[in-house]
Amino acid sequence: MKNTFIGQPMERREDLRFLRGRGEYVDDVALPGLLHAAILRSSVAHGKIKSIDTSAALKRPGVHTVITAADMPGGPPIVPMRLQPLPEFKPFEQPAIAHEKVRYVGEPIAVVLAATAAQAEDAFDAIEVEIEELPAVADWTVAQRNNSVLFDKQGTNRSMVFESRKGDADAAFASAPYVRKERLRTGRHYGLTMEPRGVMATWDAAKGMLTIYGAAKVPFFNRRILSAQIGLPVEQIEMIENDVGGGYGARGEFYPEDFLIPFAARHTGRPVKWIEDRRENLIAMNHAREEEAILEVACARDGTILAIRGEVHTDMGAYMRTNGAVGARNVSQFMAGPYRVPHVKIDSSLWMTNKTPVGTYRGPGRFEANFFLERMIDMIAEELRIDRIDMRRRNLITAKEQPYPIATVQPTNAVDEYDSGHYPETLERALQEIDWPRVSKLQGKLVDGKYHGIGVVCFIEGGAAGPKETARLEVNGDGTISLYLGTSSVGQGVETIFAQIAADALEVSIERIRHVHHGSTAYVSDGYGAYHSRSTVMGGSAVLDAANNFLAALREAGAKRLGCDANAVTLDEDKLTGGGKSVPLREFAGLTQEGVFLNKKHTYSYGSHVAHITVDPKLGRIEIIDYVVVQDVGRAINPLTVKGQMIGSLVQGLGGAVLEDLKYDENGQILTGSLADYLLPLASDFPNLRGVVLDKYPSPINPLGAKGAGEGGIIAAGGCMANAVANALSSLGVQPRQLPLSPAYIWELLQQAGRKAAE
Amino acid sequence: MKLPPFEYACPTTLNEAVALLASHNGEAKAIAGGQSLVPMLAFRLARPSLLVDLRKLPGLNEIKIGADGVRLGALVRWRDIQDDKRLESAHPLLKAAIAHVAHYQIRNRGTVGGSVAHADPAAEMPGVCVACDAVITAAGKGGTRAIKAADFFEGALTTALKPDEIVTEIHLPAWPAVRRSGFQEFARRRGDFAMSGVALFYDLDAGGKATNAHIGTIGVGDRPRRLAKAEAALNGQAVTEALAVKVGEAAAAEVDPQEDIHASAAYRRSLTGTLCERALLAAAR
Ligand SMILES: Cc1cc2nc3c(=O)[nH]c(=O)nc-3n(C[C@H](O)[C@H](O)[C@H](O)COP(=O)(O)OP(=O)(O)OC[C@H]3O[C@@H](n4cnc5c(N)ncnc54)[C@H](O)[C@@H]3O)c2cc1C
């Protein structure tokens, strides 16, 4: 092979455009005759809608129309689930606009269309909504009592129990020499994007075309949802992807607004734009994470893990959203993480509550599982008086055990196995990076009023969800080549990576790959999008297939022109050569070929986090001295962008570890309704973070050998920080059992430990 | 989060501004840096019918330093205080406290007058004003009056200002050479409003003991206040580590903090004690 763009740390080709302010976000797109939408949302967590009177609002300045459920004959459509769409979930899916009942603060009640967004918002106070309040179900422990139920016909607040099983855990527990049981919980977070969501829709009645701007992540799937809801064939709906300010699993799923705005455009015959504001974003975009585990681990006295068993309870919020089940599913299947655990039995219950519904957020279920198990490993090691790192070494899966089977999840019968890797290797590398011989001496030491602690954890990251991805290559009129993809960009740098892969496969310069188009439904016949760390693996492998087909087609076309055998034709940068002659590539303008990659398996990248922190015991404040993530990604197409993913997701994970928590009161009112209270990491909060990318164990399941690698930084951050705090305060007997590790929580733990010591 | 409708005026004289504020049945509001008011408007927690922009009022953006102390015009911005080298000796406590206010962008716009008029219980400037016995000058229809800081702050977001009154100046009394000061606060992220903060100073007497102790708190209670018992524990004593602990304990005992989503009352109380102890040790250093 002539080229080696793959594996090179190449700067992102999308960056210049962004840095020059030339990105185009949905709010940058304007159309003549535009109406602006503002959405009146429920301020009541749980109640029966008695009446909605919009007549006064219609008289407000600039107001054009107010849409409610009453405008939808037969009632509002339901937003169906995309992942794990089990029949049991059906009754819990969300109507596109509230009717009969409201079930969370933030649920859409009415859409006001006006000449400006401010005028639309001004009209809110002229809409009279009468709601008979019902007792709110504020968390899973209340939900469990079923005194107040969200869905009357169901009669229970539990929508599902996922059961993960491997071996015979009960038998293993019955004969185990040592068992530890703990109750642990994570906070409620969300994949907060810098740019809130936005949808713009236009209806061309003459052509019968509905065009949607602001599509992201999974446009093809969303088009199918909308097609069914609105009664138009998919060919009459076009989804246009714009630049996006962050995805994180939350943007680009089908939300109520993804029906309401296209509906409004068709209803009025005018283009309609809705741009979510931050206050809405906090209550309308998918929440995530809030899970509680009651977990048991059975061990031999030497720390060999024999079995894991327990329950997890997820606070689902009010509806089953498109990907809402993923976190609760994953936490059960990945509870064992990167460790060799022969027997697993986890029951994961999904509880409907009067809060904003949950969806996936980077590392769904894995962040939680990692915190639960890694916390327990440290507690067990301490109790058994064995070294916590040795305990990990003893249990990490090794290369010769691959592929390693993991727990099967019911009722979806999800059988799975890890693909490749020698998991102890990243742990050793991380310890080396942090200079373990030196820092280990600081463990638990009080220096200048601060305790030093080291957190050590290992993680597994899943990626590359199937079933398929599509790519297409086309010769442009100027002899350059364009690349079109069914997957989408949510900021991962896919334009750069796909260009690297295509240039290598075609053996041309990277500049020859002129444009990389993705995400909109117009480019390829089908696409599955950007989730589950899948774009590089799935899209990249599809690019390889497309390149093969494209080269074959070029050779054939070239052979005709050059009068030689197709096998004798080569692509030579800007021309085809063969039989001693050549013909410019531009003369084949329009020549195009698709390629697909089909895949039923998953990739599993893996790694380790080691953090050196201090805790000020008087303030409860944590400071990070040094933090290293080492991750083996199978094959690093672009080490620079992988590292970017690691550091970015680590900062996000540290937010969840120490700052972020969406809090509600017992009436289902959100207490963290702005970014003054929902605390994100700021640029200056975590300066000392390092990432090391390894690619020693390629994935056997795709031709690139690549693995999904967008979540490794976030997954283990909660577990690592909690273990570091426990290590720092080990002389005082402090064991964090929940996230976030807020100063007030750490201080409270220290007071409890002090009172215990005094007894 | 779009602003509600309002009228806008940008007067060029104080009299005009006062007249405008008086003209809208108490529904008019002054706007200075807008860093507190605009978020309130966006959340529709405030719906004034008229905004009176103070930015063109003459003479309100100066920092005057004289024998009687520091006079801050109401439109002095946080950035101006940070950039003024004279304040390092003229009022080190002010300088130290303002370093904790918000972030660059906000410090470039937020004003001292806006801060005291807004009266956030956790804001630094009101805390410095109370700790230092500042005098706040306000101009209104009825003329100009001077209000002692201790009387100015009445509760959370509540002051002694009348609807037509404009803060014109904050006077911080002179800073003698024998004065020692310390400022400590704790927020979850740098630039956030403090969960608790302590601004203190004392004067060294000929025998090296502390006199004239002033200890002020922010973030614990509905307004900044001085702690008389903690001050009494400090007066007449040489500052040692042991004394700092004692004064800290007195401070913790004296505050009456509230609980919120970020901190329990007990934690806030303990924080105040720790911060007071650390501020005192910093002052003595
Ligand atoms: C993210 C963020 C973080 C912040 N963090 C901090 C912090 O840590 N500490 C802190 O102290 N502040 C903080 N602030 C607030 C900031 O310092 C404000 O600038 C300040 O409190 C108000 O000043 P302003 O000039 O912006 O006032 P404005 O927002 O213009 O006005 C605030 C109020 O004061 C009134 N007003 C303004 N000027 C006058 C006057 N001369 N006479 C009478 N009334 C007047 C207005 O009518 C209004 O009611 C923060 C703000 C933000 C957005």
Side-chain angles (χ1 to χ4, degrees):
Chain A
M1 188 147 12
K2 193 163 73 173
N3 278 344
T4 50
F5 293 118
I6 292 181
Q8 276 186 42
M10 302 189 71
E11 282 185 17
R12 305 192 331 157
R13 52 160 70 193
E14 38 276 79
D15 285 346
L16 263 188
R17 182 160 56 87
F18 289 129
L19 292 173
R20 288 172 172 159
R22 292 189 188 144
E24 192 184 61
Y25 301 84
V26 56
D27 199 19
D28 296 329
V29 193
L31 293 167
L34 193 61
L35 289 173
H36 294 265
I39 297 172
L40 176 70
R41 296 173 183 278
S42 179
S43 57
V44 172
H46 193 193
K48 283 201 184 100
I49 301 175
K50 290 285 163 196
S51 63
I52 304 171
D53 182 354
T54 62
S55 51
L58 289 168
K59 298 186 195 110
R60 287 295 182 89
V63 173
H64 180 281
T65 310
V66 182
I67 293 169
T68 67
D71 295 296
M72 296 161 202
I78 299 295
V79 179
M81 287 178 77
R82 180 171 70 83
L83 300 173
Q84 292 94 33
L86 299 166
E88 294 90 325
F89 285 133
K90 270 274 154 230
F92 299 97
E93 289 172 344
Q94 179 165 8
I97 194 163
H99 74 137
E100 293 169 4
K101 249 185 144 180
V102 290
R103 296 187 175 89
Y104 64 95
V105 170
E107 183 161 3
I109 291 178
V111 184
V112 183
L113 305 177
T116 70
Q119 285 175 325
E121 193 174 327
D122 289 345
F124 284 171
D125 56 20
I127 300 176
E128 278 191 41
V129 183
E130 201 192 325
I131 294 176
E132 178 191 325
E133 287 199 42
L134 296 165
V137 177
D139 61 33
W140 81 263
T141 58
V142 179
Q144 192 192 23
R145 285 182 226 134
N146 286 327
N147 288 341
S148 177
V149 291
L150 274 75
F151 298 85
D152 302 328
K153 275 190 211 134
Q154 272 16 73
T156 171
N157 289 318
R158 181 154 70 178
S159 63
M160 171 65 62
V161 186
F162 283 115
E163 298 179 347
S164 277
R165 297 290 184 268
K166 182 183 170 185
D168 185 350
D170 289 338
F173 269 89
S175 62
Y178 170 87
V179 172
R180 174 107 183 203
K181 185 173 184 176
E182 288 293 339
R183 190 174 178 128
L184 302 142
R185 72 180 297 272
T186 53
R188 192 175 190 84
H189 308 159
Y190 85 116
L192 185 150
T193 51
M194 288 272 244
E195 178 212 11
R197 292 177 300 140
V199 185
M200 184 169 76
T202 68
W203 169 241
D204 182 334
K207 291 197 189 118
M209 265 313 274
L210 187 58
T211 306
I212 321 289
Y213 299 81
K217 186 176 178 179
V218 285
F220 286 90
F221 193 90
N222 289 353
R223 180 166 68 164
R224 289 196 287 275
I225 298 183
L226 185 60
S227 155
Q229 286 178 334
I230 214 159
L232 276 176
V234 288
E235 297 75 34
Q236 285 172 252
I237 302 175
E238 190 169 350
M239 311 283 268
I240 311 284
E241 183 194 43
N242 301 89
D243 284 322
V244 297
Y248 314 129
R251 181 200 301 280
E253 288 296 329
F254 201 102
Y255 286 86
E257 297 85 1
D258 293 282
F259 168 78
L260 293 173
I261 303 307
F263 176 86
R266 217 174 155 202
H267 191 73
T268 57
R270 300 263 298 264
V272 176
K273 183 193 271 187
W274 167 74
I275 300 297
E276 187 177 49
D277 67 37
R278 184 60 72 193
R279 186 169 49 155
E280 291 185 283
N281 181 253
L282 275 147
I283 52 175
M285 202 161 178
N286 289 340
H287 286 183
R289 296 270 197 266
E290 189 174 6
E291 296 189 343
E292 183 153 7
I294 300 158
L295 202 60
E296 287 179 284
V297 179
C299 289
R301 293 254 153 220
D302 66 359
T304 304
I305 300 174
L306 303 173
I308 300 179
R309 160 173 92 177
E311 4 177 300
V312 184
H313 302 276
T314 300
D315 187 321
M316 297 301 298
Y319 296 101
M320 292 304 306
R321 283 209 176 152
T322 50
N323 57 7
V326 174
R329 192 213 87 95
N330 283 1
V331 75
S332 69
Q333 189 169 35
F334 297 98
M335 193 64 91
Y339 301 105
R340 180 189 311 107
V341 182
H343 305 284
V344 178
K345 179 185 178 188
I346 306 285
D347 289 346
S348 179
S349 293
L350 284 66
W351 297 101
M352 309 315 290
T353 62
N354 292 116
K355 294 180 185 168
T356 298
V358 305
T360 62
Y361 167 34
R362 213 173 190 177
R366 295 193 177 85
F367 175 92
E368 298 90 315
N370 186 272
F371 169 71
F372 298 149
L373 185 68
E374 293 290 341
R375 206 61 281 285
M376 289 202 68
I377 290 177
D378 270 20
M379 288 194 249
I380 290 166
E382 188 187 44
E383 198 175 24
L384 291 175
R385 293 176 197 283
I386 53 180
D387 183 84
R388 61 193 170 125
I389 294 168
D390 283 342
M391 179 163 167
R392 288 181 170 81
R393 287 187 177 118
R394 185 177 293 282
N395 291 292
L396 282 169
I397 295 162
T398 58
K400 60 179 188 296
E401 296 165 88
Q402 302 284 10
Y404 184 84
I406 59 171
T408 298
V409 190
Q410 301 297 358
T412 46
N413 198 32
V415 181
D416 209 345
E417 61 184 24
Y418 294 157
D419 54 345
S420 67
H422 189 60
Y423 297 175
E425 203 163 298
T426 58
L427 173 60
E428 302 308 334
R429 178 64 184 270
L431 292 171
Q432 188 189 324
E433 289 286 334
I434 202 99
D435 194 0
W436 182 252
R438 183 180 61 81
V439 297
S440 58
K441 295 194 189 76
L442 287 166
Q443 294 180 87
K445 285 257 162 63
L446 184 62
V447 183
D448 296 335
K450 290 173 186 168
Y451 288 98
H452 286 248
I454 323 286
V456 181
V457 302
C458 303
F459 70 92
I460 195 88
E461 173 187 344
K468 162 173 153 185
E469 202 49 83
T470 310
R472 185 164 66 81
L473 285 157
E474 183 172 322
V475 181
N476 299 324
D478 61 357
T480 60
I481 296 167
S482 283
L483 178 52
Y484 298 86
L485 278 124
T487 184
S488 16
S489 167
V490 285
Q492 333 83 309
V494 289
E495 292 173 28
T496 307
I497 281 158
F498 292 144
Q500 287 176 264
I501 295 171
D504 270 11
L506 298 175
E507 302 196 352
V508 294
S509 69
I510 196 125
E511 293 76 26
R512 177 89 14 216
I513 312 300
R514 185 65 196 287
H515 299 288
V516 181
H517 301 279
H518 47 75
S520 298
T521 51
Y523 298 139
V524 292
S525 56
D526 198 4
Y528 286 82
Y531 61 97
H532 194 252
S533 292
R534 71 186 293 283
S535 284
T536 299
V537 177
M538 296 297 298
S541 299
V543 170
L544 282 187
D545 189 53
N548 282 338
N549 298 341
F550 181 68
L551 272 181
L554 275 180
R555 285 203 181 101
E556 208 155 295
K560 278 191 199 130
R561 291 285 300 276
L562 298 162
C564 66
D565 194 74
N567 287 331
V569 179
T570 55
L571 169 59
D572 185 7
E573 188 64 24
D574 58 351
K575 55 187 177 299
L576 294 180
T577 338
K581 291 183 283 182
S582 68
V583 48
L585 191 55
R586 71 181 121 77
E587 297 192 9
F588 299 90
L591 185 142
T592 184
Q593 279 294 314
E594 271 197 6
V596 295
F597 181 61
L598 301 166
N599 177 27
K600 287 204 181 96
K601 296 190 167 178
H602 295 139
T603 63
Y604 288 95
S605 59
Y606 58 93
S608 300
H609 288 210
V610 182
H612 175 193
I613 66 156
T614 60
V615 181
D616 180 329
K618 291 273 184 68
L619 304 180
R621 170 200 244 147
I622 301 173
E623 265 176 287
I624 295 178
I625 309 289
D626 192 9
Y627 197 123
V628 182
V629 179
V630 179
Q631 183 170 6
D632 191 314
V633 301
R635 187 163 181 211
I637 308 293
N638 185 342
L640 208 57
T641 56
V642 184
K643 204 176 253 182
Q645 290 288 317
M646 282 168 105
I647 301 298
S649 68
L650 176 56
V651 172
Q652 221 170 10
L654 292 170
V658 305
L659 292 167
E660 296 172 43
D661 200 6
L662 290 157
K663 287 202 164 124
Y664 282 81
D665 71 10
E666 67 279 7
N667 299 316
Q669 292 295 329
I670 189 161
L671 301 174
T672 45
S674 81
L675 296 189
D677 287 317
Y678 185 71
L679 304 179
L680 288 174
L682 302 178
S684 56
D685 281 331
F686 304 115
N688 306 320
L689 311 178
R690 295 190 281 147
V692 177
V693 183
L694 301 182
D695 53 2
K696 294 201 175 162
Y697 293 88
S699 174
I701 69 162
N702 67 76
L704 289 165
K707 299 182 176 187
E711 303 164 85
I714 199 169
I715 286 170
C720 188
M721 290 300 282
N723 280 353
V725 168
N727 182 247
L729 303 177
S730 55
S731 63
L732 308 166
V734 165
Q735 297 290 7
R737 288 180 173 83
Q738 71 182 49
L739 297 176
L741 302 157
S742 70
Y745 175 58
I746 291 176
W747 181 84
E748 187 50 48
L749 288 176
L750 282 160
Q751 306 313 302
Q752 284 168 15
R755 286 194 292 271
K756 227 173 169 180
E759 272 166 21
Chain B
M1 295 189 86
K2 299 279 181 280
L3 307 189
F6 52 78
E7 287 172 48
Y8 173 83
C10 193
T12 51
T13 68
L14 191 58
N15 285 342
E16 213 187 321
V18 167
L20 281 163
L21 279 178
S23 69
H24 270 235
N25 303 320
E27 304 250 305
K29 253 195 173 311
I31 181 162
Q35 300 301 296
S36 296
L37 185 54
V38 174
M40 303 260 291
L41 295 174
F43 277 98
R44 303 202 172 208
L45 296 170
R47 288 168 172 268
S49 56
L50 169 71
L51 282 191
V52 181
D53 193 337
L54 305 184
R55 80 191 149 94
K56 289 193 179 159
L57 298 189
L60 294 188
N61 53 7
E62 280 169 54
I63 301 176
K64 293 183 195 137
I65 298 174
D68 66 342
V70 176
R71 290 176 186 276
L72 303 171
L75 294 180
V76 166
R77 300 178 195 270
W78 306 127
R79 165 70 30 222
D80 302 331
I81 293 175
Q82 290 192 293
D83 287 348
D84 195 324
K85 292 260 181 305
R86 301 172 302 164
L87 286 172
E88 274 154 31
S89 53
H91 212 291
L93 182 59
L94 174 69
K95 193 101 183 172
I98 297 318
H100 292 266
V101 176
H103 317 277
Y104 288 108
Q105 298 89 329
I106 294 154
R107 292 202 293 260
N108 286 341
R109 297 207 60 85
T111 66
V112 294
S115 179
V116 296
H118 187 61
D120 190 297
E124 289 81 1
M125 191 66 213
V128 169
C129 288
V130 169
C132 298
D133 298 328
V135 175
I136 293 157
T137 307
K141 248 186 351 202
T144 296
R145 60 181 182 131
I147 312 164
K148 287 185 191 151
D151 302 328
F152 184 86
F153 299 102
E154 296 183 338
L157 312 189
T158 320
T159 68
L161 283 179
K162 301 200 186 87
D164 60 272
E165 281 184 319
I166 292 172
V167 173
T168 54
E169 184 184 89
I170 298 167
H171 175 213
L172 297 163
W175 191 268
V178 293
R179 190 157 286 178
R180 300 286 175 270
S181 69
F183 183 87
Q184 290 276 319
E185 72 168 50
F186 184 48
R188 289 189 64 184
R189 300 172 303 185
R190 181 150 189 107
D192 283 350
F193 279 107
M195 291 194 282
S196 172
V198 174
L200 60 77
F201 69 81
Y202 60 86
D203 295 338
L204 274 183
D205 71 7
K209 302 245 164 72
T211 64
N212 189 31
H214 280 59
I215 302 180
T217 58
I218 57 171
V220 276
D222 67 349
R223 67 188 114 161
R225 56 174 285 219
R226 278 176 60 185
L227 303 178
K229 288 181 186 147
E231 290 172 354
L234 174 56
N235 276 326
Q237 307 293 320
V239 179
T240 61
E241 284 198 18
L243 181 81
V245 171
K246 223 175 103 188
V247 174
E249 282 168 3
E254 201 173 347
V255 290
D256 184 16
Q258 69 287 22
E259 166 160 352
D260 69 13
I261 54 168
H262 297 298
S264 66
Y267 172 61
R268 274 214 160 81
R269 182 185 296 286
S270 161
L271 265 187
T272 310
T274 302
L275 295 169
C276 180
E277 180 189 326
R278 291 182 183 180
L280 192 48
L281 288 173
R285 228 172 269 141

